[in-house]
Amino acid sequence: MRRVERVLLLVVGVYLAVGLAVLHGAGFLEGLRVPLVVGGTTVTALLAVHWYWSRSDFRGDSTLFPAVALLAATGLVFLLRLDLEYGLRQFVWLLTGLAVLAVTTGLLRDYRLLAEYQYFWAAAGAAALLAPLIFGQEFGGARSWLKLGAVQFQPSEFAKVFLVVFLAVFLARATGRSETGARLWLPPAGLLVLTLVVLGLQNDIGTAAIYFATLLTLIYAATARVLFVGGGLVLLAAATVALARVAPHVRVRLETWLNPWPQIETHGYQITQSLFAIAAGGITGTGLGAGHPEFVPAAHTDFIFAAVVEELGFLGGAGCILLFVFLVYRGLKIALESEDRFGVLLATGCTALLGWQGFVIMAGVTRLLPLTGVTLPFVSYGGSSLVTSFILLGLLLNISHAGGGSIHEGERREVGPRTAGRLFHPHRASRLPPGGAGARAGGAPL
Amino acid sequence: MTGLVLMALRYLFLVLFYVLIIWLFRHLIWEMRAVGVRVVAGEGQPELPAPPGPHLVLVEGGGCRVIRVGAMTRIGRGPDNEVVLPRADVWERHARIYLRNGQYWLEDLTPNGDTRLNGLLLDGPTVLADGDRVEVGGATLLFERWPRTVRAGTA
């Protein structure tokens, strides 16, 4: 079981070791203690999660975790290269994230438990969103941080999980009762307005955009109506125009997006430095540790993609995008394979959050979209973001586990009489034949 | 010398990055193709692509066979059947599946009624639904009306 996962994780370990060796050789890591401890512990922790899953007969998708581990290893190597202190902190957060992943796949393996506490999630999400407004501190232009002892964290990251769970439960129930009209769209719309107002007050436009996109994705997945998506996009355009008139912060963002060059010394500095860094990379990059990503402000968090592209080149950047494509593909596949409405929507929501966040920041850094400061999931520095991303991964894997998981090479599954029908078509129970009902008593849903 | 080693390691880093990505995508493609073997992966069995139309899956001792279902499919021990089951507990002409008004019907042809549908003895011709289990003597056939593309790679 899970042989593919083990082999892939071992190759990720080799990849990490090579990265650390390069950093050591290029003089970023003095001595052997740091690379050995960081590399050894990370690989051990990855394998420990894998070992726990193998031991507890976990059937969740076996390629998602290696893909994520590859992204996380890349992030770790780049953070150690950019700033040793950030790198070491990220290392600790990565271990925390892996522990959280193991706990998520342990305690919440039956993710349907989450559906029991619908309004708790809404309340928790709202609380997490509002807390920094009251107790928070401003950092990097966004008032979304909470300080707890020595640890700073961004509650809006955790609010994402709560709100996605709430929306998935709500939409699963509402569409299950075939509700339409106000009772269907009013609660999500109300929640959305609240979220956007709060995030607007916190100046956290990137997170607001991700919430918005995720909500539209979920509503589309739940209702299959393009009208909602179209209406949402019109609303978004209108809101952007209106905001640009009222808020100077937003107008500056839009202007630096359309043409950053006149303001290269001020507001456009960050994005133009990012573009220079990306251009410097060429096809295969300058090589790990041989570029100058330190010229890009915030290269360790929001702009880590620029650093990756500078040093690993077009190939490295395309590889990151491919990994996100892979994550989204697997996530949506897990959603399609899920056998209950809540599972479908929760998997779609988790995938949408990770996918949109990756898209928003990679597009922002390359000036495809206006720049909004969010982290690149699993890669950027940031404890809250990393832990949240691992929770989302854990939920996805749990849904995959319930849906039967992935195929393993050489696996044999007998078709027993109890599972035979279900193996292929879980929804067939609804098709009753017109005649011969007497003989079909055994055709009840399994 | 160290410069060369460093350069080689830098390229190795990028190469390993891609080795993993290609591996992940290859696994994905492999899994897409593995649909069908999923059911019963016997030793040395070629991977069976699911036929696009209605078909029967014969499940037998760790192996499986996929048989297309046409307008008339006869099941029995005799060689003139479309589905030949050379077993002692199967009659010469045991059962048949035929298409009528867009639906597939299963009819028992044995004198003593030894055909079961989802575990119940057949009581006259009966419409087959997707995923139904047809038992002919001791042999089990799964009836699949639709291709399995949507549920690719699942179980």
Side-chain angles (χ1 to χ4, degrees):
Chain A
M1 283 294 276
R2 309 194 79 82
R3 195 183 67 85
V4 174
E5 185 177 76
R6 185 167 63 244
V7 175
L8 285 169
L9 285 177
L10 286 171
V11 182
V12 171
V14 176
Y15 168 78
L16 182 62
V18 171
L20 292 171
V22 171
L23 292 187
H24 178 73
F28 288 98
L29 300 172
E30 294 295 330
L32 282 173
R33 209 165 58 99
V34 171
L36 285 180
V37 169
V38 168
T41 318
T42 306
V43 175
T44 312
L46 290 173
L47 289 175
V49 175
H50 161 78
W51 178 80
Y52 162 63
W53 288 343
S54 305
R55 284 296 302 270
S56 61
D57 198 24
F58 186 57
R59 290 192 311 274
D61 193 294
S62 57
T63 50
L64 261 178
F65 183 50
V68 163
L70 181 57
L71 282 172
T74 309
L76 187 59
V77 166
F78 270 88
L79 285 163
L80 286 167
R81 177 248 176 279
L82 287 164
D83 187 326
L84 187 59
E85 198 197 331
Y86 280 127
L88 291 178
R89 279 201 234 160
Q90 177 81 348
F91 164 63
V92 175
W93 278 117
L94 181 58
L95 296 184
T96 316
L98 291 175
V100 168
L101 175 65
V103 170
T104 309
T105 53
L107 292 181
L108 294 175
R109 187 163 295 186
D110 184 13
Y111 63 92
R112 293 177 189 91
L113 288 173
L114 292 173
E116 304 284 319
Y117 311 100
Q118 182 178 359
Y119 289 101
F120 170 74
W121 301 117
L129 272 175
L130 289 169
L133 271 189
I134 304 161
F135 314 104
Q137 13 188 291
E138 196 163 312
F139 184 76
R143 189 184 173 83
S144 54
W145 293 83
L146 262 192
K147 202 164 183 174
L148 218 97
V151 188
Q152 274 190 336
F153 68 101
Q154 263 181 309
S156 63
E157 292 284 341
F158 297 103
K160 278 183 210 164
V161 183
F162 296 140
L163 293 180
V164 158
V165 172
F166 166 73
L167 280 172
V169 182
F170 175 83
L171 288 172
R173 295 219 172 120
T175 55
R177 291 191 300 263
S178 338
E179 276 178 9
T180 50
R183 291 186 66 179
L184 173 64
W185 57 259
L186 210 55
L191 184 78
L192 181 69
V193 170
L194 175 80
T195 313
L196 295 187
V197 166
V198 169
L199 290 169
L201 288 175
Q202 289 174 353
N203 242 339
D204 198 348
I205 301 164
T207 311
I210 293 161
Y211 274 118
F212 191 76
T214 303
L215 183 81
L216 283 189
T217 311
L218 266 179
I219 288 185
Y220 180 70
T223 62
R225 284 173 67 179
V226 190
L227 183 73
F228 284 118
V229 180
L233 289 177
V234 170
L235 208 73
L236 180 68
T240 315
V241 172
L243 264 177
R245 300 218 162 179
V246 196
H249 185 74
V250 178
R251 190 167 57 235
V252 167
R253 290 270 176 111
L254 283 177
E255 278 168 7
T256 46
W257 169 53
L258 291 171
N259 189 5
W261 307 107
Q263 312 176 52
I264 190 164
E265 293 295 334
T266 54
H267 298 297
Y269 183 72
Q270 199 174 23
I271 184 71
T272 46
Q273 287 304 316
S274 161
L275 294 178
F276 287 143
I278 290 168
I283 298 286
T284 57
T286 57
L288 181 59
H292 291 284
E294 64 273 10
F295 292 150
V296 186
H300 59 288
T301 55
D302 303 350
F303 277 82
I304 196 153
F305 186 67
V308 172
V309 179
E310 173 167 6
E311 302 214 318
L312 300 183
F314 165 78
L315 286 176
C320 280
I321 294 171
L322 280 176
L323 283 173
F324 274 94
V325 168
F326 183 83
L327 284 189
V328 170
Y329 174 84
R330 297 304 283 192
L332 292 181
K333 189 159 158 289
I334 288 170
L336 285 174
E337 286 166 7
S338 177
E339 308 206 339
D340 63 300
R341 212 175 264 278
F342 175 54
V344 171
L345 292 176
L346 188 61
T348 310
C350 294
T351 309
L353 268 184
L354 289 173
W356 283 121
Q357 185 161 344
F359 173 69
V360 160
I361 189 59
M362 288 194 284
V365 166
T366 51
R367 211 165 66 89
L368 178 68
L369 285 184
L371 177 68
T372 49
V374 292
T375 54
L376 184 59
F378 300 111
V379 185
S380 285
Y381 172 73
S384 320
S385 157
L386 197 62
V387 170
T388 309
S389 304
F390 273 112
I391 295 176
L392 293 173
L393 174 70
L395 291 178
L396 267 180
L397 289 172
N398 288 342
I399 299 163
S400 169
H401 172 79
S406 53
I407 314 182
H408 300 280
E409 230 156 328
E411 178 187 5
R412 290 181 60 167
R413 268 186 209 178
E414 300 295 327
V415 177
R418 283 194 62 245
T419 53
R422 189 178 186 156
L423 275 177
F424 307 124
H425 300 285
H427 309 299
R428 74 188 174 87
S430 57
R431 300 182 336 108
L432 280 175
R440 293 201 41 85
L446 293 160
Chain B
M1 185 57 207
T2 32
L4 268 181
V5 173
L6 201 57
M7 199 180 79
L9 281 176
R10 277 175 174 146
Y11 278 111
L12 183 62
F13 188 68
L14 194 57
V15 166
L16 280 173
F17 189 59
Y18 266 88
V19 164
L20 277 159
I21 291 171
I22 291 167
W23 202 327
L24 286 168
F25 277 90
R26 263 191 54 206
H27 185 82
L28 197 142
I29 293 164
W30 172 84
E31 208 178 79
M32 278 180 189
R33 291 208 179 127
V35 183
V37 241
R38 180 92 207 239
V39 185
V40 192
E43 292 94 329
Q45 280 247 327
E47 296 178 2
L48 297 161
H55 53 276
L56 288 166
V57 181
L58 172 64
V59 184
E60 216 171 32
C64 76
R65 261 167 65 199
V66 177
I67 307 134
R68 269 177 167 285
V69 173
M72 170 65 78
T73 310
R74 288 162 298 182
I75 304 166
R77 194 174 48 185
D80 55 337
N81 292 291
E82 274 79 22
V83 180
V84 183
L85 300 171
R87 304 168 56 114
D89 52 5
V90 171
W91 287 75
E92 196 74 13
R93 288 200 182 121
H94 201 114
R96 61 180 183 180
I97 293 170
Y98 56 89
L99 182 66
R100 201 170 70 199
N101 297 333
Q103 284 181 310
Y104 287 91
W105 294 73
L106 173 69
E107 188 182 0
D108 180 52
L109 300 176
T110 57
N112 58 352
D114 191 23
T115 303
R116 286 164 186 267
L117 179 59
N118 294 325
L120 292 179
L121 280 175
L122 215 59
D123 173 26
T126 306
V127 172
L128 282 174
D130 197 28
D132 270 344
R133 189 160 44 87
V134 178
E135 284 166 59
V136 176
T140 302
L141 296 153
L142 291 172
F143 176 73
E144 296 190 337
R145 175 89 199 244
W146 313 109
R148 279 170 284 170
T149 46
V150 178
R151 300 269 302 161
T154 71

